[in-house]
Amino acid sequence: MTAGIYLNENSLTGTVPTEIGRLTRLSQSLWMHSNQFTGPMPSEVGEIRNFTSQLYFHSNDFSFSLPTELGYISGITSQFLLSSNHFTGRIPTQLGRLTLITKQFQINSNSLGSNVPIRYNSIPTELGRFTNMQTRFFLQENELFWSIPTELANMASMTSHFYLNDNDICGNVTNKFEKLMYSLSFYDFEANNRIGTPCPAPTLSPTELPTSAPTFLPTPSPSNLPSLEPSAHPSGLPTAFPSLVPSALPTLLPSTLPTLEPTNVPTLEPS
């Protein structure tokens, strides 16, 4: 087993090679932070499944969405740091599998919540499974929307440093969540959010929207509309209109008009 790899603070540039996923015997301490890495974070990081702590990818120039495969490193217990990059898109619900983590879950200071439909850019309810989390839960300074999930109130082991500020979070908070916040040493869930302001319709959790809209709406349209239209309109129109118009007009005009004019008019005038 390899304990750690430390490549931090070396001014490294470019993308992180996908071969990083071959470090399957790495148990802890993958330090890639404070460089100038760009592009996506390799999904192959999820192959390092014996990993237990100190995943440091913060303070780089990574972009695109967070890999869902990060949910496979479910043995990690502390220090999951992806902050201060340019990550966009949804927060993967698969991160809710990291239930053993106790401190420093930090994905703040990105652009998470951007470049997706507004109904998808909420805080996943699955993060409420972090019941062992004690300190430094950082989601601030992103572009997250909708209300704070009630499930986050289940993080009863938290003692300090809980931050959701500087997003676009709306709606009310539950008494249970408010009580949890007031028990912490340091917290902020209100600054530069819209707590207390009703979220626009639909007001339900965005996790319900993708399951109802895509599955409910497309089923009537392919079964009813396409089956009726091609059977009624295309079959009726070509048999009635195209057959009557060319058979009537082209037959009457050349047979009547050209025959009367040349036979009568030239015969009367010379006599």
Side-chain angles (χ1 to χ4, degrees):
M1 241 357 139
T2 302
I5 293 177
Y6 308 94
L7 298 177
N8 55 298
E9 300 177 358
N10 279 297
S11 299
L12 298 175
T13 60
T15 58
V16 175
T18 57
E19 287 81 3
I20 194 172
R22 297 180 181 178
L23 304 175
T24 55
R25 296 178 62 85
L26 184 66
S27 60
Q28 62 181 8
S29 301
L30 179 56
W31 290 13
M32 308 289 285
H33 65 283
S34 304
N35 284 295
Q36 299 171 26
F37 288 121
T38 57
M41 182 179 181
S43 60
E44 287 79 5
V45 173
E47 296 297 323
I48 312 175
R49 302 188 184 186
N50 293 311
F51 201 75
T52 58
S53 67
Q54 298 183 347
L55 181 68
Y56 291 172
F57 274 70
H58 60 284
S59 302
N60 280 289
D61 290 315
F62 290 113
S63 55
F64 299 95
S65 56
L66 295 178
T68 59
E69 289 81 1
L70 291 175
Y72 288 129
I73 55 175
S74 55
I76 190 168
T77 59
S78 65
Q79 298 169 315
F80 180 92
L81 276 63
L82 306 181
S83 53
S84 300
N85 282 288
H86 306 288
F87 290 117
T88 60
R90 303 176 65 178
I91 298 177
T93 58
Q94 290 82 356
L95 294 184
R97 298 175 181 173
L98 310 182
T99 56
L100 299 180
I101 197 165
T102 58
K103 61 182 179 179
Q104 287 188 275
F105 178 83
Q106 300 179 199
I107 56 176
N108 57 291
S109 304
N110 285 289
S111 295
L112 294 170
S114 64
N115 297 338
V116 291
I118 193 172
R119 63 182 181 272
Y120 296 137
N121 63 353
S122 63
I123 300 173
T125 59
E126 288 80 2
L127 297 188
R129 299 173 183 171
F130 289 3
T131 54
N132 294 307
M133 193 78 193
Q134 299 172 9
T135 184
R136 296 187 181 276
F137 181 81
F138 290 179
L139 268 66
Q140 75 271 21
E141 297 175 356
N142 281 294
E143 297 182 32
L144 302 172
F145 191 65
W146 299 101
S147 57
I148 298 174
T150 56
E151 288 80 359
L152 294 190
N154 296 330
M155 300 167 62
S157 297
M158 286 291 299
T159 60
S160 67
H161 296 91
F162 187 108
Y163 292 106
L164 303 178
N165 56 284
D166 291 276
N167 283 286
D168 195 21
I169 299 172
C170 54
N172 297 315
V173 297
T174 63
N175 292 334
K176 184 178 179 181
F177 178 82
E178 208 167 39
K179 183 178 179 181
L180 173 63
M181 292 298 100
Y182 295 156
S183 70
L184 305 180
S185 299
F186 301 96
Y187 68 91
D188 191 350
F189 64 93
E190 295 182 282
N192 295 318
N193 285 318
R194 295 186 291 118
I195 302 298
T197 301
C199 297
T203 55
L204 294 177
S205 174
T207 54
E208 296 181 9
L209 295 177
T211 56
S212 60
T215 55
F216 191 70
L217 293 178
T219 50
S221 52
S223 60
N224 295 331
L225 296 178
S227 61
L228 290 176
E229 288 181 358
S231 62
H233 296 289
S235 61
L237 291 176
T239 56
F241 292 100
S243 60
L244 290 175
V245 173
S247 62
L249 295 177
T251 307
L252 292 174
L253 290 175
S255 62
T256 306
L257 296 177
T259 308
L260 292 174
E261 290 181 358
T263 55
N264 296 332
V265 177
T267 309
L268 293 172
E269 286 182 356
S271 60

